[in-house]
Amino acid sequence: MLADRHSLNDLKDATEKKMASMYKDICEKKEFLCDMNVDVLSALLCRDDLRTPSENFVFKSVMQWIKYRKRERLDVGAKGIGAVRLGLVDSKDVIEELDTEEMKAIPEINMLLQEALIRNCWPSRSSALALEKGKPRSMNSVGEKVFKFARKRCLS
């Protein structure tokens, strides 16, 4: 945030790259829940080089972040959830977390839920945005296999 505030772009890029390489470790720190800003979080989640065990882990970390300060973060939560590649998240987890009255009351979150369900149930009908949400991260070999399988299904 300091690098961003003072337009130190090289420092900002280096910091984001380092944070991406240790995302799992960052999520385990209390500071992640207490101090992480939604803009920093979403910028981090948009990176292809985010080092994570799975996209389910990313989704659950965002949900944990939102729930930690639910009143403050519910309205900005769509920005964090929107940065998750929901096409790679287990649809049961997406439904469990986002198919609640509280979450569906936020139009952006409701739209993300609908897109994720359509993408999982009918991949060949997916929009370009939905396909982007199914793109694996470069560091996630399991996600790459899932993406290749889904892409093959879409093309056939």
Side-chain angles (χ1 to χ4, degrees):
M1 291 184 331
L2 180 68
D4 195 32
R5 191 176 302 133
H6 295 286
S7 300
L8 302 171
N9 294 329
D10 291 342
L11 179 59
K12 181 181 174 190
D13 292 340
T15 303
E16 285 180 358
K17 184 174 183 171
K18 182 64 176 175
M19 289 173 66
S21 74
M22 49 189 296
Y23 182 73
K24 184 179 182 297
D25 296 330
I26 289 171
C27 291
E28 294 170 354
K29 305 285 185 204
K30 184 167 176 77
E31 291 82 5
F32 171 77
L33 297 174
C34 296
D35 302 326
M36 182 67 76
N37 172 306
V38 70
D39 294 324
V40 173
L41 178 61
S42 63
L44 188 59
L45 298 180
C46 287
R47 295 180 63 95
D48 285 338
D49 63 345
L50 187 71
R51 178 63 63 87
T52 176
S54 69
E55 204 65 25
N56 261 47
F57 179 87
V58 174
F59 178 66
K60 288 178 180 182
S61 70
V62 171
M63 295 309 301
Q64 183 181 15
W65 178 84
I66 292 170
K67 290 175 183 177
Y68 187 77
R69 290 201 175 125
K70 199 177 217 176
R71 247 188 245 148
E72 299 168 25
R73 294 179 176 166
L74 205 52
D75 289 335
V76 297
K79 187 170 185 175
I81 295 167
V84 176
R85 297 177 182 184
L86 291 174
L88 299 174
V89 176
D90 186 323
S91 56
K92 290 177 185 174
D93 291 333
V94 173
I95 291 168
E96 183 180 317
E97 292 289 353
L98 301 184
D99 190 30
T100 65
E101 292 302 317
E102 191 173 45
M103 290 293 187
K104 290 192 312 187
I106 300 167
E108 295 87 1
I109 293 177
N110 193 36
M111 182 192 73
L112 291 167
L113 170 63
Q114 299 303 318
E115 281 184 2
L117 294 177
I118 290 168
R119 168 94 171 86
N120 283 318
C121 294
W122 198 356
S124 63
R125 189 163 186 249
S126 297
S127 66
L129 176 65
L131 289 173
E132 178 65 25
K133 296 297 178 192
K135 180 180 136 189
R137 299 182 190 279
S138 62
M139 297 294 192
N140 188 342
S141 62
V142 174
E144 287 179 33
K145 290 176 187 173
V146 171
F147 181 71
K148 287 177 184 175
F149 174 77
R151 186 173 202 152
K152 191 181 278 187
R153 277 186 55 196
C154 286
L155 298 175
S156 57

